[in-house]
Amino acid sequence: MITVAELIPVLQVAIGPVVLISGVGLLILSLTNRLGRVIDRGRSLVREMPEIPERNHPNILRQLHILSLRAGLLQRAIAFATLCVLCAAVLVITLFFTAALKLENAWFIGILFVAAMGSLIVALVYFLQELNQSLVAFRLDIGEDIPS
């Protein structure tokens, strides 16, 4: 049986992944807000399409294509950020049980940590790609010529 004195350092170590969970949770909140805005903008453009002059339809279709691309990037970013949180949560549980049961699972703890960080990196890369696409859409909205 583990004593409280032995458990306290384990709980202190587990704080790191808990802070990660909190921070990534805020990232997920931001990403889902952005996804909602992308979806709302797409629906708005589709509703307005019949009222827009025919000559402007190619521009609207390009904007809809960019919005669709952005939604896909955000979906992948959210999925990987969620995977990061799941890995961090399992890491906290694993840290607790390895200490409580006096098991040595360093390799599993290491794998969970690397998986969490790797997932976060992938989520952030998708987020940066989505930000770049939002700038492309903005330039299209204001009429700037966009290189292909």
Side-chain angles (χ1 to χ4, degrees):
M1 189 76 166
I2 190 169
T3 66
V4 174
E6 293 171 328
L7 186 59
I8 289 173
V10 174
L11 294 175
Q12 289 172 335
V13 168
I15 294 297
V18 171
V19 171
L20 174 68
I21 290 169
S22 176
V24 176
L26 291 173
L27 175 65
I28 292 171
L29 178 64
S30 173
L31 292 170
T32 55
N33 284 340
R34 290 181 72 83
L35 180 61
R37 290 179 59 118
V38 165
I39 290 170
D40 290 346
R41 176 71 175 138
R43 287 180 177 156
S44 172
L45 282 174
V46 167
R47 265 188 252 114
E48 294 170 9
M49 191 103 159
E51 302 161 10
I52 295 172
E54 191 74 31
R55 69 181 186 282
N56 292 341
H57 280 201
N59 187 19
I60 299 300
L61 291 174
R62 181 136 187 235
Q63 288 182 26
L64 287 170
H65 174 73
I66 291 170
L67 288 170
S68 178
L69 179 62
R70 287 180 60 198
L73 291 168
L74 286 166
Q75 177 189 26
R76 289 187 286 281
I78 292 166
F80 278 100
T82 303
L83 181 60
C84 173
V85 169
L86 289 172
C87 288
V90 172
L91 178 59
V92 170
I93 292 168
T94 303
L95 287 169
F96 177 77
F97 279 118
T98 56
L101 302 174
K102 297 186 181 183
L103 300 172
E104 285 298 321
N105 257 344
W107 63 270
F108 188 61
I109 291 169
I111 289 171
L112 286 171
F113 179 75
V114 169
M117 292 298 98
S119 297
L120 179 58
I121 289 167
V122 172
L124 292 172
V125 167
Y126 280 127
F127 182 45
L128 287 173
Q129 289 177 336
E130 189 273 335
L131 286 175
N132 287 335
Q133 287 301 311
S134 70
L135 289 176
V136 169
F138 174 68
R139 289 183 188 122
L140 192 61
D141 279 343
I142 63 173
E144 267 188 34
D145 193 22
I146 303 166
S148 299

